[in-house]
Amino acid sequence: MKLGLRFRLIAFTFCLILTVGGGILGYAVYLGRDNIFAAFEREGKESAAAIAESVLNELYFFDLRGVAVRLAAARANTDIRRIDVTDLEGVVVAETGKGDSRLNHQLRGPLAAGMRSASTWLSISEGGFFHVAGPVSMPDGSRIGYLHVEFALDEPQARARHLAMGILLVTLVYLAVGGAMAAGISARFARPIVEMAHAAKQIGEGMLETRISIKRNDELGVLAQSINELAANRQKAEKALAERAEELKRSNRELEQFAYVASHDLQEPLRMITGYTQLLAKRYGDKLDQDANEYIDYAVEGAKRMQALIHDLLDYSRVGTRGKEFAPADCQAIVTETLRTLQPAIQESAATIAYDSLPTVMGEESQLLQLFQNLIGNAIKYRDSKPPVVQVSCKQEGGNWLFSVRDNGIGIDPKYAERIFVIFQRLHGRDQYAGTGIGLAVCKKIVERHGGKIWVESEPGKGATFYFTIPARVDDDEGSHLGH
């Protein structure tokens, strides 16, 4: 059965008051009981210290009869159930109170062992009684025996019960008043809340012309006005969003058109420049001087660089605009295919490439292939005199797969760790290492499209390790879906 808002508001308010009241009661009882027993403990230790001082002279002269008289006088305190006085060996030499006699026997009990090594009064509550024990010492600090006092807990327990009953009575009154207030609040606010909830539901379902008719000068009136303003603002926002979506469609069409122009209209003239320049060098090279042949080489090289730059720019722009829907992608197979593609560079550099078992992730296989090809290709390219050694690894951390590509190359100064992922940013000249400065920017864009992040850890001359994350699939457990 669906309960009405008014009943639920009353029930919620009352339960809230009950919870708060119960918490206050529990805390007050706990705090009050703790204070009662703390005071009782303090008074017990003070009483024990006073008894020890009263028997000091008699115990020093071993006047056991005098000690017994002092102990009997101390029993005037009705909370004291038993008192034991022992010698330095812990043997009871005088006693008074209830229980079996312990005279001439070793004192037993929860504090018997600890009191002989203690420098102050010890206390413990056990078996329904409160025990205090400590040394009987002369003014110079020398010990002449030990005192054990056992207190009944009836009096502090009674005080704690009285405190709890008083707090309970106050809490019950508080709950009764709170229940009445809950009913009044419900009657006052349930109707406008129901009306606003109904209007909010209609607005949420797209009926943005809905408005609330409540006119009040309190918070509910402000809320009603805010919901009306929200509906009006949402109408404006949806209109602006539709216009923005159409603008984005136009922009994407223009971007795709640019990609087409770049891949056809721009590259075709470059191919003609390269072809005819090379033909010029072939036919008339022996008739030209050395400078002319060098200029021709510069022209051919520049045209080829421009073709490579356009190609890389197309790759960069298509990461987001031409991306396919994600599907399970086997990273083990992707890295294997990457190494086949890079085989000429691997053989030329005598590189050693190793990789662990790699998982299957949700992503676009072609882009992940490009990602691994760029990272492993860079690890081979940016090497020193030693043959490259590259290790590809992966482990699961929380909800992500953490991939790493580690090499033993020339390394990177940490101050450039972010700059290298910016498009067209190069740390080396073209005469040292070929490239357009777009590869790592493409890697960053691919990783971010897959919901991850990429970074590098390196020092100059000590190699580099590139890390990137890709979210794990929902059904991935630790170590599952790894390649074999």
Side-chain angles (χ1 to χ4, degrees):
M1 182 180 67
K2 188 175 180 180
L3 300 176
L5 176 63
R6 181 177 180 182
F7 178 82
R8 283 181 289 160
L9 184 59
I10 293 174
F12 172 77
T13 307
F14 188 76
C15 288
L16 180 63
I17 294 173
L18 183 63
T19 302
V20 174
I24 294 173
L25 171 64
Y27 181 71
V29 171
Y30 168 78
L31 189 62
R33 186 179 185 280
D34 190 59
N35 289 337
I36 289 172
F37 281 92
F40 187 77
E41 178 183 10
R42 183 175 62 253
E43 293 169 0
K45 289 182 177 181
E46 291 174 354
S47 297
I51 295 171
E53 186 175 355
S54 70
V55 302
L56 184 63
N57 291 332
E58 286 77 3
L59 185 59
Y60 179 77
F61 291 105
F62 210 67
D63 178 8
L64 299 183
R65 184 183 298 276
V67 172
V69 171
R70 296 289 188 182
L71 296 183
R75 281 290 313 282
N77 184 341
T78 57
D79 291 331
I80 296 177
R81 183 176 180 274
R82 180 182 180 87
I83 307 174
D84 298 292
V85 178
T86 75
D87 59 17
L88 292 174
E89 301 301 323
V91 176
V92 177
V93 296
E95 64 177 1
T96 185
K98 300 178 181 179
D100 297 334
S101 176
R102 303 170 183 170
L103 278 176
N104 302 319
H105 290 81
Q106 194 77 24
L107 181 65
R108 307 289 182 185
L111 300 177
M115 68 180 184
R116 285 194 277 175
S117 59
S119 59
T120 185
W121 291 98
L122 304 179
S123 63
I124 189 172
S125 180
E126 184 175 278
F129 302 105
F130 183 70
H131 302 265
V132 177
V136 180
S137 303
M138 296 297 291
D140 61 0
S142 60
R143 300 182 179 184
I144 60 175
Y146 300 95
L147 178 71
H148 167 255
V149 184
E150 183 180 289
F151 294 87
L153 293 174
D154 297 341
E155 192 269 340
Q157 289 175 344
R159 288 164 59 188
R161 284 194 298 270
H162 293 156
L163 174 65
M165 291 298 294
I167 294 176
L168 177 61
L169 180 61
V170 172
T171 304
L172 290 175
V173 173
Y174 166 76
L175 291 177
V177 174
M181 291 178 61
I185 291 173
S186 173
R188 167 68 174 161
F189 296 106
R191 186 193 61 77
I193 290 176
V194 169
E195 181 180 345
M196 285 189 288
H198 180 67
K201 181 180 179 182
Q202 289 182 321
I203 294 171
E205 292 173 348
M207 301 171 63
L208 300 181
E209 69 282 357
T210 302
R211 296 293 182 269
I212 300 172
S213 59
I214 296 175
K215 304 294 182 182
R216 296 171 58 146
N217 295 323
D218 57 8
E219 289 79 0
L220 284 179
V222 173
L223 180 58
Q225 181 180 355
S226 299
I227 293 176
N228 290 337
E229 292 175 356
L230 177 64
N233 291 336
R234 184 175 168 184
Q235 279 183 306
K236 295 178 183 178
E238 288 199 354
K239 181 180 178 181
L241 183 61
E243 294 174 353
R244 178 62 176 165
E246 183 60 32
E247 181 182 345
L248 286 175
K249 287 181 181 179
R250 289 196 302 270
S251 176
N252 284 336
R253 286 195 296 268
E254 292 171 358
L255 185 59
E256 290 177 2
Q257 182 64 27
F258 164 78
Y260 176 81
V261 171
S263 62
H264 295 83
D265 297 356
L266 291 180
Q267 293 200 58
E268 183 59 29
L270 288 173
R271 282 193 290 268
M272 291 180 63
I273 292 171
T274 303
Y276 280 106
T277 306
Q278 290 174 331
L279 183 61
L280 179 66
K282 182 177 179 180
R283 290 188 177 182
Y284 303 103
D286 56 347
K287 299 179 180 180
L288 301 174
D289 60 15
Q290 182 178 354
D291 288 344
N293 283 311
E294 187 175 347
Y295 298 154
I296 291 174
D297 292 338
Y298 287 157
V300 172
E301 182 185 353
K304 288 181 177 178
R305 282 206 309 269
M306 180 61 74
Q307 284 181 316
L309 183 61
I310 292 173
H311 180 271
D312 288 346
L313 277 172
L314 281 172
D315 288 342
Y316 183 78
S317 66
R318 285 171 175 168
V319 169
T321 60
R322 295 289 182 90
K324 302 176 183 177
E325 290 188 4
F326 288 175
D330 184 355
C331 292
Q332 189 90 357
I334 290 173
V335 171
T336 301
E337 178 63 25
T338 299
L339 298 186
R340 277 198 289 265
T341 304
L342 295 173
Q343 196 60 36
I346 293 173
Q347 292 179 348
E348 178 187 351
S349 61
T352 300
I353 314 294
Y355 54 95
D356 301 338
S357 294
L358 301 177
T360 296
V361 301
M362 292 299 294
E364 184 177 339
E365 186 170 325
S366 61
Q367 290 188 350
L368 294 176
L369 179 66
Q370 185 176 14
L371 171 64
F372 280 109
Q373 186 171 324
N374 286 358
L375 293 178
I376 297 174
N378 281 354
I380 296 172
K381 181 198 299 185
Y382 295 100
R383 63 182 185 273
D384 52 20
S385 58
K386 302 187 298 292
V389 177
V390 184
Q391 175 69 47
V392 181
S393 303
C394 182
K395 63 180 179 179
Q396 190 168 0
E397 287 192 352
N400 293 306
W401 289 108
L402 174 62
F403 291 83
S404 63
V405 179
R406 185 177 72 251
D407 64 58
N408 64 337
I410 60 175
I412 301 169
D413 192 321
K415 67 182 180 181
Y416 300 122
E418 295 185 7
R419 173 184 166 186
I420 59 174
F421 294 104
V422 179
I423 192 168
F424 297 133
Q425 295 298 313
R426 295 175 53 89
L427 303 184
H428 308 280
R430 292 187 182 89
D431 56 336
Q432 294 178 286
Y433 299 98
T436 59
I438 298 178
L440 287 177
V442 172
C443 291
K444 184 173 186 290
K445 200 168 184 180
I446 291 173
V447 170
E448 289 177 346
R449 180 175 180 251
H450 284 73
K453 60 180 181 178
I454 185 170
W455 70 96
V456 65
E457 294 179 1
S458 178
E459 292 182 25
K462 296 184 179 181
T465 302
F466 283 84
Y467 296 94
F468 65 91
T469 60
I470 292 180
R473 297 191 296 175
V474 175
D475 58 342
D476 278 349
D477 297 321
E478 184 72 27
S480 67
H481 302 286
L482 290 176
H484 300 285

